[in-house]
Amino acid sequence: MSVTASQVHGAVQTLTQSSDTLFLLLGAIMVFLMHAGFAFLEVGTVRHKNQVNALVKILADFGISALAYFFIGYWVAYGANFFADAQTLSQGNGYELVKFFFLLTFAAAIPAIVSGGIAERARFYPVLIATFFTVGLVYPVFEGMIWNGNFGLQAWFENQFGFGFHDFAGSVVVHGVGGWIALVAVIFLGMRKGRIRAGKHTNFAPSNIPFLALGAWILCVGWFGFNVMSAQTLNGISGLVAMNSLMAMVGGIVAALLAGKNDPGFIHNGPLAGLVAVCAGSDLMHPIGALVTGSIAGALFVYLFTYLQNKTKIDDVLGVWPLHGVCGAWGGIAAGIFGQSTLGGLGGVSVAVQVLGTLAGITVALVGALIVYGLIDKLSGLRLSEEDEFNGADLAIHKISATNED
């Protein structure tokens, strides 16, 4: 029995589609696992009386994020919906469905980022309502502008500067937007009770360093799915992305080690700062450029977090604004700098566009968050009562503590 050329072509196409679907599914699972990292990072940082709340928030936020992104957000960003029969949806081995899952894990990172900033004093259901609108509307607006060409921003950049805004894996689109949204939420909530004593700032020590470290490790491992699998096809996979992610992570570790003076909290957040910053240009930079990018991000996090905690009234519990907001913005700009061929990068990127695109992301995040959190704060309030905050979110909201001792 002879095999025709069309049969061979069809078999190859089927194999390619199924391989790409499996590749992206594994990426989605790796990024989904990162949400456990967010949870344990927060559990290890907050005080014991707020540990249950940290765990519940991350999982509840994911559930609300999935609904918001399925019914609204994905349509806003990509003009696609799932109101077709299952046979239609499953065409091409269901690649488009797995693509949704992968991009959902990115979208759900927004409330996971915010959660760390607003910990220990936020009301539960008002925050879930904010999650619905930030994931359903605010985040997808900028996501669609950058990754789908919506509203003509990318076309304008290309016409004016010759290049579009480059953000391969979301330094600005995901982390920057999430971090700047978190800043607004943190400011609305105000400082935790007891932070100012005798006119001086008092910092609450992390409750569980092993949990904090576990969260950081889970995030570091998952990040290789976040970055490498942003190629979305096996054909597009790049060892350069993996290498640059590794070097930026290492740069963040070493910078935080030196700047943070051996503090375990800083050392475990340093690699995360480096990984946030390299997302945008991980497919363009030379590994040495990625190392420098991650090192600057690690130092930025240490110095900014220290300044916020000791000199301002911005009570960002996990330092998510410096880690994701500032390091994400730095990553967007760094892609324009270290992506240049003169610095060993692959080229095809403009520093001016990277600055303007980063500012656009910050603007969308700030305006969207001001509307969402401002309205919720006005209508229902965002903060726990003083008594509930004193007792802890675990007992006040969930009626149980993390450790029930006889």
Side-chain angles (χ1 to χ4, degrees):
M1 176 179 169
S2 61
V3 179
T4 65
S6 62
Q7 288 175 318
V8 171
H9 175 74
V12 170
Q13 187 176 34
T14 300
L15 179 62
T16 301
Q17 287 177 341
S18 58
S19 298
D20 286 343
T21 302
L22 178 60
F23 171 74
L24 198 57
L25 176 60
L26 292 174
I29 292 169
M30 288 181 72
V31 184
F32 179 43
L33 181 60
M34 289 176 71
H35 289 264
F38 283 119
F40 280 103
L41 192 70
E42 185 173 337
V43 167
T45 305
V46 299
R47 289 169 289 177
H48 286 101
K49 62 184 180 180
N50 297 296
Q51 288 182 326
V52 171
N53 182 244
L55 290 169
V56 173
K57 270 193 306 177
I58 299 295
L59 194 57
D61 275 333
F62 191 91
I64 298 300
S65 296
L67 293 176
Y69 200 64
F70 182 87
F71 288 106
I72 304 173
Y74 195 69
W75 173 74
V76 171
Y78 301 102
N81 62 62
F82 301 98
F83 300 110
D85 59 78
Q87 183 174 358
T88 301
L89 293 175
S90 62
Q91 289 178 353
N93 298 101
Y95 177 82
E96 291 300 321
L97 299 179
V98 173
K99 181 181 177 181
F100 164 80
F101 180 18
F102 183 69
L103 292 172
L104 163 65
T105 60
F106 280 51
I110 300 297
I113 290 168
V114 174
S115 177
I118 64 175
E120 301 200 324
R121 76 272 201 207
R123 294 179 63 201
F124 188 65
Y125 286 106
V127 167
L128 289 183
I129 293 170
T131 290
F132 184 88
F133 287 105
T134 52
V135 175
L137 293 172
V138 180
Y139 166 75
V141 166
F142 190 66
E143 178 191 18
M145 291 167 69
I146 302 306
W147 287 343
N148 197 49
N150 296 353
F151 304 111
L153 180 65
Q154 289 284 42
W156 184 81
F157 282 149
E158 290 171 7
N159 289 333
Q160 295 296 317
F161 301 94
F163 302 102
F165 179 70
H166 188 90
D167 192 352
F168 179 70
S171 283
V172 179
V173 173
V174 179
H175 299 285
V177 167
W180 288 88
I181 287 174
L183 176 64
V184 174
V186 166
I187 291 173
F188 269 114
L189 281 164
M191 297 185 76
R192 288 168 288 172
K193 298 298 181 183
R195 281 291 320 282
I196 301 291
R197 295 179 185 174
K200 294 182 179 180
H201 284 66
T202 300
N203 294 321
F204 302 131
S207 61
N208 193 310
I209 294 296
F211 275 163
L212 187 158
L214 175 63
W217 274 104
I218 293 172
L219 286 166
C220 285
V221 172
W223 225 295
F224 288 87
F226 198 99
N227 283 2
V228 175
M229 289 163 170
S230 284
Q232 299 189 19
T233 63
L234 269 175
N235 186 52
I237 194 170
S238 169
L240 182 64
V241 176
M243 183 65 168
N244 284 340
S245 300
L246 176 67
M247 295 306 288
M249 181 183 74
V250 169
I253 292 171
V254 175
L257 173 66
L258 297 174
K261 301 176 182 178
N262 302 330
D263 182 285
F266 287 139
I267 291 170
H268 284 94
N269 276 282
L272 309 183
L275 286 162
V276 164
V278 83
C279 288
S282 57
D283 62 328
L284 295 178
M285 297 178 181
H286 187 279
I288 295 176
L291 179 65
V292 175
T293 298
S295 299
I296 292 173
L300 268 175
F301 171 73
V302 171
Y303 292 127
L304 270 177
F305 183 71
T306 302
Y307 178 78
L308 287 180
Q309 293 298 95
N310 297 326
K311 301 294 184 182
T312 76
K313 293 185 177 181
I314 298 174
D315 191 6
D316 184 347
V317 180
L318 269 67
V320 297
W321 175 66
L323 181 67
H324 297 275
V326 176
C327 291
W330 157 240
I333 296 167
I337 298 170
F338 295 106
Q340 300 292 332
S341 56
T342 53
L343 292 177
L346 298 182
V349 67
S350 161
V351 176
V353 170
Q354 293 304 115
V355 171
L356 290 174
T358 298
L359 291 174
I362 292 171
T363 301
V364 170
L366 290 177
V367 172
L370 282 168
I371 294 171
V372 171
Y373 285 95
L375 284 174
I376 293 173
D377 187 49
K378 182 76 71 177
L379 294 173
S380 67
L382 287 166
R383 184 159 179 160
L384 290 172
S385 68
E386 190 169 340
E387 180 182 358
D388 284 345
E389 186 180 341
F390 176 80
N391 292 330
D394 293 358
L395 292 176
I397 297 172
H398 310 290
K399 313 305 180 187
I400 191 169
S401 62
T403 54
N404 288 311
E405 300 176 353
D406 292 330

